[in-house]
Amino acid sequence: MKKVLLALLSVAIAFTALAPAQAQDQKVLAIIDTAIDSKNFSSIIYEVCFSQNLSCPNKTNFVEGPGAASAVVWPKSLNDGTHHGDWMTKAALKVDPSVKIVFIRYSNVTASGSSANRPESLVAAIDWVSKNSDKYSIDALSISQAAVDTGNLSRCNVNSPNFDNVTTGAVSLLNAKNIPVFVATGNHARSDVIGWPACTPGAIGVGALTTATSLLLEKATNRGPGLDIVTFGALEIYKGTIPTAKFNLSGSSGATVVSATTYLKNNTYKTFQEYFNALPKIVINTVSYSRN
């Protein structure tokens, strides 16, 4: 494994905080993504929203509780990126229908329902998970988001003035609690880098395989240093609430949430490191990866 796991309101709508109700033996996955309509998912046990444009359902930049991660306006097109969180949640539940989910929305949502993802909100969301993981019995974190612009990549450079101490510290704290952080490496076809926040020390960079038995990465998967786990994540799900509107996921996004949920479903080891060490290894273009 390349990266070492570090030990380390004025409101318009009232939201009532939920007390964690899951049993001790239930597996809980935190998903940070665009938005979710939790009315469609009984498996979602808690919701949080971070934004930078006062677009959380209470018209502020932060709220938590029932309905918090929803978009106030949903885009008419089910192909719009705002529905990305819906897709990731369905993928997790397809791997394990019994998994419980804490969903954290980090996207600005416009008046038309389209989403704009902001790094400031993503940092805050990761930090929230690290500080609330015990309260909600979170066992793993899945982040199917990636950026490869120079500014965001510099967040992983310890010698840069833009080095992201908050994200690094949050990931370190989660690792110290044996909570792995699965992050998509991104779909920019880069062979020299992986996206942020996958490049954060201690994060598990996840890329996508072309098929369930393939020794090939999807062409778009970023495969630079820090790609740790490869997974086939192109599951068939459906758009919105229309079961007949089926489509196959693609890219490192689906691979990441599938990998995280697979870990929760299959792990029999005391630590994630032991689980990771036991994963089968495959070689792609002379580079060895763990296959989940």
Side-chain angles (χ1 to χ4, degrees):
M1 180 178 182
K2 189 196 78 66
K3 296 190 291 291
V4 179
L5 294 177
L6 304 181
L8 298 201
L9 276 179
S10 166
V11 299
I13 302 175
F15 292 87
T16 304
L18 289 178
Q22 64 274 12
Q24 289 298 315
D25 60 344
Q26 289 180 320
K27 299 301 183 182
V28 180
L29 174 66
I31 296 177
I32 298 176
D33 216 280
T34 52
I36 194 72
D37 187 348
S38 60
K39 296 191 299 294
N40 299 326
F41 300 97
S42 60
S43 296
I44 294 178
I45 61 172
Y46 203 66
E47 299 173 65
V48 184
C49 173
F50 292 94
S51 78
Q52 301 295 314
N53 67 339
L54 305 177
S55 70
C56 289
N58 65 341
K59 298 182 180 179
T60 73
N61 284 332
F62 172 77
V63 70
E64 52 183 310
S70 180
V72 176
V73 176
W74 286 96
K76 293 181 180 179
S77 172
L78 293 177
N79 296 316
D80 191 284
T82 303
H83 294 286
H84 193 270
D86 178 88
W87 307 337
M88 296 304 103
T89 301
K90 286 172 179 171
L93 292 171
K94 190 157 188 177
V95 173
D96 184 2
S98 70
V99 72
K100 301 302 178 183
I101 295 171
V102 173
F103 192 101
I104 304 95
R105 172 191 146 189
Y106 88 102
S107 289
N108 294 344
V109 180
T110 68
S112 66
S114 293
S115 58
N117 302 333
R118 300 296 304 163
E120 299 89 350
S121 292
L122 183 50
V123 171
I126 297 170
D127 191 45
W128 185 93
V129 173
S130 74
K131 293 175 178 175
N132 291 274
S133 58
D134 293 339
K135 184 176 182 180
Y136 297 103
S137 301
I138 293 169
D139 297 296
L141 170 58
S142 177
I143 307 172
S144 295
Q145 305 289 327
V148 294
D149 59 284
T150 302
N152 277 311
L153 288 178
S154 67
R155 293 172 179 271
C156 293
N157 183 355
V158 70
N159 297 314
S160 168
N162 198 37
F163 179 67
D164 192 342
N165 286 293
V166 175
T167 299
T168 301
V171 172
S172 177
L173 179 58
L174 289 167
N175 287 334
K177 297 177 181 180
N178 194 41
I179 301 172
V181 181
F182 295 81
V183 190
T185 61
N187 308 309
H188 308 87
R190 295 283 294 268
S191 60
D192 56 333
V193 297
I194 60 173
W196 175 82
C199 59
T200 302
I204 311 302
V206 184
L209 293 170
T210 56
T211 69
T213 58
S214 175
L215 295 179
L216 296 174
L217 290 168
E218 287 190 9
K219 185 177 180 179
T221 288
N222 295 333
R223 60 200 69 195
L227 172 56
D228 300 309
I229 286 178
V230 292
T231 306
F232 177 65
L235 303 182
E236 184 183 72
I237 60 174
Y238 58 89
K239 299 178 182 179
T241 58
I242 309 172
T244 56
K246 296 179 180 179
F247 75 110
N248 290 326
L249 290 174
S250 63
S252 58
S253 285
T256 298
V257 72
V258 166
S259 189
T261 314
T262 298
Y263 159 69
L264 293 182
K265 182 180 180 181
N266 295 340
N267 179 44
T268 58
Y269 297 93
K270 290 184 178 180
T271 68
F272 172 76
Q273 189 66 59
E274 291 176 293
Y275 173 86
F276 180 87
N277 292 342
L279 289 175
K281 305 300 186 287
I282 64 172
V283 176
I284 302 175
N285 293 330
T286 75
V287 181
S288 178
Y289 302 105
S290 295
R291 183 179 201 149
N292 197 8

